[in-house]
Amino acid sequence: GKKYCLLVAKEIIHDDDDDGDGDVVGLVEMGMSLCPVPLDQLDSCAGSGDDGNNTDDNNSDTTTNNDNDHDIGLRPQPTVGVLCVNPTHQNKGIAQALVQKCENVAAEVWSEQFIFVDVEPKNENALSLFRKCGFHCLLDEMGGAQIRNATVSRRRVAESVPHLLLSKRLARTMSTEI
């Protein structure tokens, strides 16, 4: 099945009529996209398929990185898409809380081990936020930052723009099973 979530942060102001309405102050979306993962670090029971077995050859690819002998596979992985916070509410921890909620959904609900995000290299605020959240830049075969093109829409015009690929290994709360 498809995995997608949209999380919304609202400011709730308690007043006399207390109707529960509030202003949206931020949002984040997360879906699945093909990302490189070290196959030896994937649990056999976690991952992209509902049953833990990824048998869809169209959605995966495997390559070997000879420098460190790890098999790297392209697998559908949780990927943060749009993340935005109202300018009047920035620097209050809202973006960090939204990213943390994405991590919780990916690890606890979807049983995934990694989370990814594509960030434009010039977007220093986003890079700083994701690094503060524990993300790191993936490296390519030559040791440079891994870059992939992403389609963005600006002023209703779609264009392909290079993005850095950042990742984070997720910590899951392990239930005690016998």
Side-chain angles (χ1 to χ4, degrees):
K2 304 278 184 205
K3 296 177 184 175
Y4 178 83
C5 78
L6 177 68
L7 303 170
V8 177
K10 292 177 78 175
E11 179 181 50
I12 304 296
I13 300 173
H14 297 286
D15 55 15
D16 290 335
D17 67 5
D18 202 12
D19 55 6
D21 288 340
D23 292 333
V24 172
V25 296
L27 66 84
V28 63
E29 70 169 353
M30 179 174 62
M32 301 295 278
S33 70
L34 289 178
C35 296
V37 292
L39 299 179
D40 60 346
Q41 292 183 24
L42 287 178
D43 289 343
S44 60
C45 62
S48 310
D50 293 336
D51 60 0
N53 298 318
N54 186 354
T55 57
D56 186 357
D57 291 333
N58 294 329
N59 286 333
S60 64
D61 188 21
T62 303
T63 60
T64 301
N65 183 345
N66 294 330
D67 293 342
N68 50 16
D69 242 5
H70 287 293
D71 284 336
I72 303 295
L74 288 177
R75 298 288 187 268
Q77 295 294 307
T79 306
V80 175
V82 173
L83 170 64
C84 58
V85 175
N86 186 320
T88 61
H89 289 74
Q90 290 180 357
N91 299 313
K92 296 181 180 180
I94 295 169
Q96 214 167 348
L98 287 167
V99 170
Q100 180 62 51
K101 289 291 185 184
C102 284
E103 292 175 16
N104 292 347
V105 168
E108 302 298 330
V109 179
W110 295 353
S111 299
E112 297 289 348
Q113 297 177 55
F114 296 92
I115 188 169
F116 292 81
V117 64
D118 293 299
V119 179
E120 289 185 50
K122 296 183 287 186
N123 190 340
E124 306 232 358
N125 289 338
L127 288 170
S128 174
L129 167 72
F130 286 107
R131 286 186 177 128
K132 190 185 305 182
C133 291
F135 286 74
H136 63 275
C137 198
L138 289 181
L139 302 179
D140 63 16
E141 301 82 28
M142 304 300 288
Q146 186 163 342
I147 295 179
R148 66 182 186 178
N149 286 330
T151 302
V152 297
S153 180
R154 294 193 176 115
R155 294 181 183 91
R156 299 183 186 187
V157 175
E159 60 181 307
S160 182
V161 178
H163 283 66
L164 295 171
L165 184 60
L166 308 179
S167 73
K168 179 177 180 178
R169 184 172 179 92
L170 298 170
R172 273 202 316 233
T173 306
M174 301 303 283
S175 61
T176 55
E177 296 179 344
I178 297 176

